[in-house]
Every structure is written in C-alpha cells, then in structure tokens.
Amino acid sequence: MFMWLPLGAPLAILRTAVFLLLPFSISVPLLAALGMHSRRISSSSLPPAAAAAHNLFVCNHRSLVDPLYVSAATGRTDLSAATYSISRLSEILAPIRTFRLTRDRATDRAAMQAHLSLPGGGGGGLVVCPEGTTCREPFLLRFSPLFTELGADVQPVALHSAVSMFHGTTAGGWKLLDPLYLLMNPTPAYVVQLLDPVAVGGEGGGGGPELANEVQRRIAEALGYTRTALTRRDKYLALTGNDGGVDRRRVAGSHHHQEGVLNG
C-alpha cells in the first residue's frame, strides 16, 4: 500500500479532474486509458435511449460514486442523487446535484419529489440507493420502500464494482477519504446494467414494501447476489457497534432484531 501511494494519490487526483472538468464523451475513454474500466449492459426490453429516459433510477449501493456511473451510463447530466451520509467536500465536487436525506419520512419524500421530474413538474431525474448504505459484498440489504411513494415508474439499475487494492467504503473511518481510496485503485471496474422498468401498480406489486422487494429481487437476480432483510442499522451494529448515526437510545435493545436471509 505504501509503495503504491506516491503514484496512487496523484492518479486519483488526475482521474477526479478528468471526470469533473470534461464532458462524458471525452472523460469516459480518457478514464479508461487511465485504468478505470466501465461497462454498460442493457438487459431491458426497451432500447437503451428509452431506458435512460426514465426519471427514477433505483440501484444497489456499492460506493459513493454510484450515481455518477448511472449518470455516465445514461448520458444524463440532469440527475440528482439522494444521499444519507456524504462529506461536504464530496458534495461540492460532485458533477451532478446531490441532496441529503434526513431520515424523516415526510421531509425526505418531499425533497425527493422536488428533485424528480414528473408531468407538470420541474427538475430532472433522480438516483436513489434504497439500501441506505454501501455494501461491498455480494449481498443486497433491505430496500427502503420510500421511493415507491413518489408515483413514478422505476428504472432498476444493477451495479457491480470490483477493486484491486483499496475498498472505497468505510463504516468507521473518514467518509471524506472514500472517493480518494476508490480512485487510487490501479484498475477499478464498474458494470452498470439497465433492467426492465417496473411500473407503479403494475406487475410485481402495487407499491410499498411489495414493490421495493420486487425491485430488490430483480437487481439481485441480475447480479447473482443474495437478498437479505438486513438494514443499514444492522450493518453498523455488526461492524462498528453503533447504529450509524441514529440516536443510540432508540436502538439500545435492537441487537436481537437482526433478520436473516430471505428465502427464494
């Protein structure tokens, strides 16, 4: 690690500058030349352009740059990313709009709705990671059903990432360094897979948890990952002994509520 740092740190800064300063048509091939591999797969029955035209993109959460890869894969710079925990520096440097969720259901729903373009509304598209936290292993955490209350058809996006030296995620460290460590990898790789859209009230469930579970199922099947009912809180309790920032008094006795892997 220390032998690689003198080259890895400048490489990460160079990659960041390329991504932030150049349009996708130039930055994507240039980043590939700098060792960042990415691949878009369209598993949707719709043409890629039609799939990219949806406004609510729901994906699993591999790292902080997930929304940027969705933006690059769809060619859309009008997307906004809903985040739970992101450093102020990452917010400033992000080439797409970001906004923080508060974990207050009504407040978060209103914020997401304001950034989502619907008939008669403004704004652009929205990228949501309903797991609420990153998961670097081949598992999917429980999907929060909040996105199903926005009234928009869902475009599921399956994301797979691979790193060769550093994990770009941390549970107990400095979130500020997550993007830096991810971009310091010699050959980081991302696969972005656009799946068939899920209509609100259509096949796969009418809404709420049923629809959220259906979207989770489709993404898990596309990636070959295992679905679980574990939550963000469960992850932090297991890895760090705290609840990830939620008032600890509310979850002092929640250790016994951890759920197992879903059947099927």
Side-chain angles (χ1 to χ4, degrees):
M1 180 185 75
F2 288 107
M3 291 175 64
W4 174 249
L5 281 178
L7 179 60
L11 180 61
I13 295 172
L14 176 60
R15 287 168 169 172
T16 301
V18 168
F19 202 96
L20 294 179
L21 301 178
L22 299 177
F24 288 142
S25 59
I26 300 176
S27 65
V28 172
L30 186 54
L31 287 171
L34 291 173
M36 294 187 68
H37 305 293
S38 60
R39 180 184 179 196
R40 185 185 75 175
I41 301 175
S42 182
S43 301
S44 172
S45 56
L46 300 176
H54 283 82
N55 284 326
L56 180 56
F57 297 88
V58 176
C59 58
N60 57 304
H61 202 3
R62 298 291 289 178
S63 76
L64 290 177
V65 300
D66 292 342
L68 303 186
Y69 273 94
V70 174
S71 178
T74 57
R76 294 185 55 176
T77 58
D78 64 336
L79 298 181
S80 299
T83 67
Y84 281 109
S85 58
I86 185 174
S87 71
R88 184 63 63 185
L89 180 61
S90 297
E91 284 184 315
I92 295 172
L93 294 179
I96 64 174
R97 292 187 298 271
T98 64
F99 64 98
R100 296 193 184 203
L101 300 178
T102 64
R103 301 193 186 280
D104 177 81
R105 194 174 193 85
T107 302
D108 291 345
R109 186 193 306 110
M112 293 167 70
Q113 194 75 64
H115 287 81
L116 180 64
S117 177
L118 293 173
L126 179 65
V127 181
V128 179
C129 301
E131 290 174 288
T133 185
T134 56
C135 183
R136 67 174 67 154
E137 306 296 340
F139 297 92
L140 294 186
L141 304 180
R142 182 183 71 86
F143 276 27
S144 167
L146 182 59
F147 71 89
T148 68
E149 301 175 12
L150 300 177
D153 291 347
V154 176
Q155 174 58 62
V157 183
L159 299 176
H160 173 74
S161 63
V163 295
S164 51
M165 189 174 291
F166 304 105
H167 285 295
T169 59
T170 180
W174 291 351
K175 291 290 184 182
L176 174 66
L177 298 179
D178 283 1
L180 178 64
Y181 272 99
L182 179 69
L183 294 175
M184 278 200 301
N185 278 285
T187 54
Y190 250 85
V191 177
V192 182
Q193 188 170 354
L194 301 176
L195 309 179
D196 279 323
V198 180
V200 174
E203 183 180 356
E210 191 176 37
L211 179 59
N213 289 339
E214 173 65 15
V215 174
Q216 185 203 43
R217 182 190 66 80
R218 294 191 185 192
I219 293 177
E221 288 184 354
L223 295 171
Y225 286 6
T226 301
R227 300 168 63 206
T228 79
L230 297 173
T231 66
R232 176 184 187 273
R233 181 181 297 171
D234 294 328
K235 166 192 165 178
Y236 277 92
L237 285 172
L239 296 180
T240 67
N242 63 61
D243 48 35
V246 181
D247 184 358
R248 297 185 187 184
R249 291 171 297 179
R250 295 167 51 194
V251 292
S254 65
H255 290 268
H256 66 280
H257 290 303
Q258 292 191 15
E259 299 173 292
V261 176
L262 288 171
N263 292 325

